[in-house]
Amino acid sequence: MTVSLYQTGVSGLLASQQQLATTGHNIANVNTEGYNRQRADQNASVGLNNGNNYIGSGTYIQDITRLYDQFSHREQLLNQSNLGNADSLHARLTQLDQVMSTSGNAVVGSLEQFYQSLNGVADNPSDSGLRSIVLSQANVLSNNFNELTNNFDNMTTAVNGEIEQVAAKISEISVELAKINETIMHSNGSLQTGKPNDLLDKRDQLISELSEYTRVSTVEDTNSVLTVMIGQGTTLVAGITPLTLRVNSGDPDPLKTELQLVSGSSSVALNGATLGGSLAASFEFRDEHLSQARTEIDRLAMAISSTLNDSQANGLDLNGIQGANIFTDINTAQLQQGRVLAHSTNAPASTAQTQITINDVSLLPTDEFEVRFDAGVYTLYNLTTGANENLGAPGSGTPAGTHTPTSPDYGFSFVETGVPVAGDTFTVIPTKNSAALMKATLTDGSAIAASSAIGVTPSSNNVSDGKVEIINVIDPVAAQAFATPPTNIGILVDVYESAPGTFSYRIYDADPASPPPTPPSVVGAIASGTFPIGSNAVIGLPTATPAFEIEISGQPSGQGALAPEKFVIDDAFGPGNSGNAVAMAKTQEQGVTNGGNETFNKSIAVTTSVVGSKASNANLSADTAQALFTQAYNRNQATSGVNLDEEAANLLKYQQAYQAASQIISTANTIFDTILSAVR
Amino acid sequence: MRVSTAQFYFQNAQQLSAKQSDVNEQIQYLSSGKRVLTAKDDAVSFGTLAGYKDELSNIAKYQRNINQAENRNGLQETSFANAEDIMQELKQLFIQANNGSLNDSDLDALAELAKNSQEQLLGIANIKDETGGFIFSGFQTQTTPFNLQADGSVIYQGDSGVREIQIGKSVMVATNQAGDAAFEKVSNDIGDFTPSYNANTSGISVNRAVVANPSTHDVLGNPPDYNFTFTSATDLTVTDGNGAVVFNTVAYTPGQTIAFNGVEVQLDGNPLPGDDFDLTPQEEVSIFDTIKNAIDWLQVGSSPANQVQHAVDYNQILGQLDQALNHMTGNRVDAGVRLSLVDVQANNHADSELTITSGHSNIEDLDFAKAVANFEQSQVSLQAAQQSFVQIKNLSLFNYL
């Protein structure tokens, strides 16, 4: 009986020791990340049959379990992924918002200065100082666009770098997990019944870390080996076999890097945007938000360049030459070819050369396009709206090889030469590189086309409210030549109401030496015609290859056939002529982008607002995700977290138990001594 | 619910960090004085603000242009006021000359004075502005507009260009007057024709000759010049440029209206047989031509060959000088009208600017009272979190073991 008392005492001691050890372990690990508190389960030993009774024989530690609620842990994982996603997106969008606000404001400021200097030239066109100021402002404007694009590029590089780092981290975690799985499996395979709690904790901690980067789900098998899946169910760790992630440059745009899941020597592409966590946020930011902002800025740069270049071409510079481009032409060969990216999967035998020509910036959308060659025709796919249009066979269209979509008309043409192979795919980004390659190309202030080429002077004898206006100048030098000797000494337009409700017009050389015949004769007229009341007449002159167009509108009734309303069009070129400069300055208030609805300032304000609103939403999402995560974390910690006060109390408890158990031994000893002394 | 130690610290750290970033944000707002720093702060307001800023910069642009327009039109107004004075003097001088008691040297002296007036007027017409360009040259601002020839006539070498600048959304104002419109296109006192007298013994003069009815005025069928010949005091024949007779009467009464081919002519005086003159179409007479004619008239002296014709010429020149004076006044009024248009626009813009600026400030500017209150609140909140953390961390069973 005493023997068993010893044993009981010892068992109590040992049990208390293990309890104390476990409590000590908990206390030591109070600040360990991902530590689940452990508890030693004490069980009473089986009683020994003493004939009539069962006498208990002490206690033993059944198992040291960790308090782990897999359901709350899973909830914590899910919320961690969401938090990782929301935080990452919030941080990046805030950065983009700040870039847009500072660099975007710089663009607005320099645009304002540019137009201010243009107005200066409109007031005093012969001043060379004012003209140089216009050019230096143009330089500042294009530099600002280049800067903004640089900022976007830097952000892309940063995001790509982060994706690479995260992929490397995930691969590391994967390898670690596989090793732990192996160790756990071996420890399970042996005859030990206890669980390797700390290894399990380590494994769970790694999975927690993983969940910040991507969405994680796990499946545990009978050997406690965990299969880990990321994203929508892609296996990352298959038991003891790790798979790794690798980053490849994108196709066709190398800067749109892609993820690949590598297993041994084979690899499979992974769609980063569906992975969840901060990885998905990085992809979403790079491929959606940043690229949208970049496309809009590129389109704005293109709109500014083409509007001002066109305006320049309408007038004459200080030397009487047609105005040259003030900014880089939007259809240079480099820009045109840069807008189409051929996929690397295209057959090497394909000799197709492709480019995009922009026809009308106001119709240009910010959608993404793809052109595929299949079944003998090129088809244009709008990846944003899902629409497609058959462009025709290679070499078709006018001029040959030019395919212009018409339903709807996007404002660009797809130009190709060469022989494609079925399956060839091309990514089309019509606005690519416009802001990066925008430069002010004029260097001499006198090359600013401030002067208009021709002007209309109504006769002082006109009595009705009709007018003749020059609505379109295609070639100002030719227009000027047409209105000056030797071709014509001015151009005379006379209009009168030949029949009630019908106006007849004639266009003659305004040479005073050879006046036109009495109406209605049109002998020797350059052009003639009629138009009904309420509409107007548009005439291109010279009639064969128009260099400009005039519009006769209003009600030019005149006073009969002998006294029609007369208008003379002649050369208006002069150093003091600022007609074209005024027209150029007016483009500041003209709607150009988005179907002609947005001025330049409005366009950039819209882009900045959209980014700001996205950033603000991301902020809200991040706050919500943080709150949700905190709740899940709290719930998890309620079960698994170490509370120092509780452990302190436990220390006392087990200390007392130990002391009491040792007292049993000493009592057993005393009993034995008593028996021994009794039989001496 | 059970609270673990790690959870306690985690939550507190969270709270502290959140409150600190709150305080930081408030400081940013306070130091910049703006409620909307980037689009993230309020995306919708940001868009509105951008629109306001756009409007304000447009108004600033118009105001700059208005300044320029004021300066230029102001210069024109002064120039024409000076021109008016010169023409007034010249007219007085010419009226003085109609004195039979003046002899040749007196008339010469007057002619010299008239030449001075011509020079002065020329000086005004060739005036330059602060940019060094001629203001009355139209678009040819580097070309001297009016050049005095050896024979006293003046040739215009500019063009008819009128420069306009934008002073409102759809309001343009002209900033110059072309030299030809300002100085050359003075209405002909007589109407649409100028008479040149071939033989005038009666002192007959053309009072009025206008194209009264343009719809019946056929210049191709009956081309000018129209020749008026009186074969007797009552017999008048008018022939056109081809020699065809367009009007013939044998009962001419002085002062009657002679109408032919859409033209109406009225003569002053009693005709004598042999009176012959031509009517050449001329709707406008250059002011310098008028002055040259005046100088020539004065230089003829006190004993002209045809006294009667000399008197007729005098009347014609005097009438034309009057027209010239009126034209200068008219030009000055034009400049004045533009100045008042510019004034109205300036007022409009000032009003709009006020409204827009206050709208802008309403959205963008920080309400300081509210912001400071928020800041205090955040501060207090942070302090509370910090202090409570310090208090609670001391509570541990280990302190009592």
Side-chain angles (χ1 to χ4, degrees), chain A residues 252 339-343 345-346 350 352-356 368-374 376-383 387-394 401 403-405 410 412-417 420-430:
Chain A
R339 294 172 184 143
V340 182
L341 301 164
H343 287 219
T345 50
N346 288 353
S350 161
Q353 302 282 336
T354 51
Q355 57 192 38
I356 293 285
E368 273 185 45
F369 296 94
E370 222 174 64
V371 172
R372 285 179 226 155
F373 178 68
D374 252 330
V377 290
Y378 282 108
T379 316
L380 177 72
Y381 292 89
N382 184 331
L383 299 175
N388 61 38
E389 183 174 335
N390 182 344
L391 293 178
H403 309 268
T404 310
Y410 293 117
F412 64 82
S413 297
F414 176 72
V415 177
E416 49 79 23
T417 53
V421 170
D424 275 358
T425 317
F426 306 92
T427 298
V428 170
I429 306 169

Side-chain angles (χ1 to χ4, degrees), chain B residues 161-399:
Chain B
V162 173
R163 215 162 41 243
E164 287 186 327
I165 52 176
Q166 192 181 12
I167 57 168
K169 185 96 190 187
S170 40
V171 181
M172 309 281 287
V173 74
T175 54
N176 71 327
Q177 296 194 31
D180 54 359
F183 294 102
E184 293 208 321
K185 297 211 167 120
V186 180
S187 322
N188 189 340
D189 192 34
I190 291 173
D192 298 322
F193 296 90
T194 297
S196 56
Y197 298 91
N198 304 322
N200 191 350
T201 46
S202 65
I204 193 169
S205 65
V206 179
N207 184 22
R208 192 174 76 94
V210 292
V211 176
N213 194 349
S215 53
T216 54
H217 180 61
D218 187 352
V219 287
L220 291 174
N222 293 314
D225 305 342
Y226 300 111
N227 176 278
F228 286 63
T229 311
F230 283 92
T231 45
S232 81
T234 51
D235 193 331
L236 165 66
T237 312
V238 182
T239 48
D240 70 9
N242 294 334
V245 173
V246 288
F247 184 83
N248 192 3
T249 176
V250 294
Y252 175 75
T253 45
Q256 88 170 66
T257 309
I258 306 161
F260 60 92
N261 197 17
V263 179
E264 278 179 15
V265 181
Q266 215 183 11
L267 307 173
D268 256 350
N270 298 320
L272 286 177
D275 282 344
D276 189 303
F277 62 86
D278 288 321
L279 281 183
T280 319
Q282 187 174 11
E283 290 179 21
E284 287 142 352
V285 180
S286 162
I287 197 174
F288 294 107
D289 281 347
T290 310
I291 299 179
K292 171 176 179 305
N293 289 342
I295 295 173
D296 288 346
W297 190 93
L298 288 168
Q299 282 177 333
V300 164
S302 53
S303 17
N306 184 347
Q307 189 79 19
V308 174
Q309 183 60 42
H310 200 60
V312 166
D313 288 340
Y314 176 83
N315 284 332
Q316 192 176 324
I317 293 172
L318 187 61
Q320 197 57 40
L321 279 175
D322 220 10
Q323 285 291 335
L325 176 61
N326 287 344
H327 193 79
M328 290 299 110
T329 311
N331 288 343
R332 187 164 68 85
V333 164
D334 274 346
V337 162
R338 289 179 198 164
L339 282 173
S340 77
L341 166 66
V342 162
D343 218 13
V344 165
Q345 281 301 312
N347 284 341
N348 284 350
H349 290 320
D351 288 340
S352 307
E353 192 178 7
L354 190 58
T355 316
I356 294 176
T357 311
S358 69
H360 183 205
S361 139
N362 272 346
I363 296 183
E364 193 187 40
D365 287 349
L366 195 61
D367 178 353
F368 271 97
K370 211 156 82 166
V372 169
N374 279 346
F375 175 66
E376 291 295 318
Q377 200 177 8
S378 311
Q379 249 195 329
V380 165
S381 190
L382 176 61
Q383 277 173 355
Q386 285 170 338
Q387 281 173 355
S388 60
F389 174 71
V390 165
Q391 296 286 358
I392 296 178
K393 81 159 173 46
N394 284 332
L395 300 171
S396 174
L397 199 49
F398 279 101
N399 291 344

Side-chain angles (χ1 to χ4, degrees), chain A residues 29-41:
Chain A
N29 280 303
V30 67
N31 286 331
T32 308
E33 283 246 18
Y35 177 74
N36 295 306
R37 66 192 172 115
Q38 296 173 357
R39 205 177 52 184
D41 289 330

